């Protein structure tokens, strides 16, 4: 709810995610990417409503769907699946707070939050955060928790000399790395990384992205929410593009960043805005989610728009567009 009105922040978010796979979710600010992550973990505001299904199945060793780096388009049944196995499927959208708090958050789904400083307790040091998380999520003996906490910090490139600092003593980049270290501790079957490279220089961006990729290569699933298309290209198996609360394209990363490129004009525009490409911004501004145009939400900004775009396009062949790139226009 916003201003007494209902706002559909995310609609038609239909995808799956296999063990050993990284799906990068990209799009402009305000398009609904972080709302989607919060919905999966039950972290939306109290007045928010969800409907649909988000199935989480997990078990040792087996994967749902094709394995890493080889997946084709898989968009279809309205479920998010990670690390399929023997444990019964859990519908995250239907789970109660007790279940989410005790068995899901940190254990089955790890989270690198978008605003890490807000998730750190101000009166505890980074070391204390890490050691407490090791105690809560792993079977590490007490005498080994300090070493386990330091190992987690090293994985996230958090400097050992800052472990005894408090959150208010950290820069934004250090807070980001602390949050990444905390998320990696539980070795959860599914990791949601929401803008995990914010505030980092290019070297640290690459190091963080590589560590997240190693998490996926260890048989875990990774949903990487990011504005950084270079980081997405570095680690993603597939790319999902969100616009105005809707996923408008899903494509294998090799095709998305290479040839023939994205099929949706908005996705093509995101790539074209990169300095190493055309360096041309997408014209216009995204619509307010509370005031979406009828039909295709991107039509007011799209050079390919026609009268057909007055009708909301269905998702076909990897894109929700009446005039996808690479197709012959009627």
């Amino acid at each position: 709810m916003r201003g007494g009105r209902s706002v559909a922040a995310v609609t038609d978010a239909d995808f799956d995610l296999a063990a050993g796979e990284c799906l990068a979710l990209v799009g402009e600010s305000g398009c609904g990417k972080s709302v989607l992550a919060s919905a999966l973990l039950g972290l939306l505001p109290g007045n928010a409503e969800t409907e649909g299904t988000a199935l989480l199945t997990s078990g040792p060793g087996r994967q749902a769907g094709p394995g890493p780096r080889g997946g084709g388009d898989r968009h279809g049944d309205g479920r998010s699946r990670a690390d399929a196995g023997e444990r019964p499927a859990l519908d995250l959208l239907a789970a109660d707070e007790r279940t989410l708090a005790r068995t899901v958050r940190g254990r089955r789904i790890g989270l690198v939050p978008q605003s890490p400083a807000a998730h750190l307790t101000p009166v505890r040091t980074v070391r204390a955060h890490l050691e407490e998380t090791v105690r809560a999520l792993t079977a590490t003996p007490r005498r080994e928790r300090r070493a386990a906490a330091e190992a987690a910090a090293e994985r996230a490139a958090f400097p050992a000399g800052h472990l005894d600092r408090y959150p208010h003593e950290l820069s934004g980049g250090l807070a980001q790395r602390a949050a990444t270290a905390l998320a990696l501790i539980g070795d959860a079957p599914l990791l949601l990384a929401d803008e995990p490279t914010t505030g980092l220089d290019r070297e640290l961006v690459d190091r963080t992205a590589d560590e997240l990729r190693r998490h996926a290569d260890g048989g875990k699933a990774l949903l990487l929410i990011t504005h950084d298309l270079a980081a997405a290209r570095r680690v993603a198996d597939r790319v999902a593009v969100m616009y105005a609360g809707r996923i408008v394209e899903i494509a294998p990363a090799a095709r998305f960043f290479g040839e023939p490129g994205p099929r949706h004009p908005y996705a093509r525009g995101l790539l074209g805005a990169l300095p190493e490409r055309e360096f041309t911004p997408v014209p216009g501004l995204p619509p307010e989610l509370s005031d979406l145009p009828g039909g295709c939400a991107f039509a007011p900004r799209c050079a390919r728009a026609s009268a057909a775009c007055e009708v909301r396009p269905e998702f076909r062949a990897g894109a929700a567009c009446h005039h996808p790139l690479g197709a012959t226009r009627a």
Side-chain angles (χ1 to χ4, degrees):
M1 299 288 290
R2 180 185 296 174
R5 293 190 301 165
S6 294
V7 176
V10 177
T11 58
D12 296 339
D14 187 357
F15 64 94
D16 66 352
L17 180 55
E21 182 186 28
C22 171
L23 175 67
L25 182 61
V26 303
E28 291 167 297
S29 296
C31 69
K33 303 186 303 296
S34 296
V35 172
L36 175 59
S38 295
L40 294 176
L41 284 170
L43 297 176
L44 292 174
N47 62 346
E49 298 180 0
T50 59
E51 59 182 42
T53 304
L55 294 183
L56 175 69
T57 59
S58 61
R62 280 175 35 197
Q63 295 184 350
R69 299 285 180 187
D73 287 346
R74 296 193 301 282
H75 180 98
D77 62 5
R79 299 183 295 171
S80 293
R81 297 187 296 275
D83 202 15
E86 299 174 357
R87 184 180 295 183
L90 173 67
D91 184 354
L92 296 170
L93 300 186
D96 57 37
E97 173 60 25
R98 179 184 178 91
T99 298
L100 292 170
R102 294 197 173 192
T103 68
V104 174
R105 298 182 194 131
R107 292 172 173 81
R108 298 180 70 178
I109 303 180
L111 173 67
V112 181
Q114 184 180 32
S115 302
H119 288 72
L120 299 174
T121 304
V123 296
R124 306 189 71 186
T125 65
V126 175
R127 186 189 302 277
H129 280 91
L130 292 170
E131 291 187 7
E132 173 60 22
T133 304
V134 169
R135 184 197 67 78
L137 299 182
T138 73
T140 304
R142 184 173 182 177
R143 64 182 179 278
E144 298 175 15
R145 289 175 191 163
R146 183 183 182 92
E150 292 174 352
E154 172 63 22
R155 289 178 67 187
F158 189 91
H162 292 63
L163 282 170
D164 293 313
R165 293 190 176 187
Y166 291 90
H168 73 273
E169 298 177 298
L170 304 178
S171 66
L174 283 173
Q176 188 69 63
R177 282 180 272 170
T180 300
L182 288 166
L184 291 171
I185 285 174
D187 210 23
L190 171 60
L191 181 62
L192 306 182
D194 192 356
E195 301 292 355
T197 59
T198 299
L200 306 183
D201 61 33
R202 194 73 247 169
E203 181 180 354
L204 284 173
V205 166
D206 291 346
R207 180 169 174 177
T208 299
D210 289 346
E211 184 58 48
L212 294 174
R213 181 69 238 185
R214 279 190 286 272
H215 184 81
D217 288 341
K220 309 302 189 296
L222 171 63
L223 179 61
L224 174 65
I225 298 171
T226 184
H227 289 95
D228 190 337
L229 291 176
R233 181 174 187 173
R234 190 177 183 90
V235 302
D237 299 295
R238 289 184 297 149
V239 178
V241 181
M242 182 170 276
Y243 184 77
R246 187 185 187 194
I247 293 177
V248 296
E249 180 163 0
I250 297 182
R255 191 184 80 196
F256 186 88
F257 291 107
E259 294 295 336
R263 303 196 70 214
H264 197 284
Y266 172 66
R268 187 68 63 95
L270 287 179
L271 285 185
L274 295 175
E276 63 269 26
R277 302 216 180 191
E278 291 88 356
F279 203 27
T280 302
V282 181
L285 296 172
E288 291 288 337
L289 295 178
S290 58
D291 189 27
L292 294 177
C296 175
F298 186 62
R301 306 173 69 186
C302 182
R304 297 171 66 86
S306 71
C309 302
E310 295 176 8
V311 177
R312 182 180 172 93
E314 296 184 10
F315 197 104
R316 294 193 183 98
C321 182
H322 290 293
H323 307 299
L325 293 154
T328 301
R329 288 189 62 167

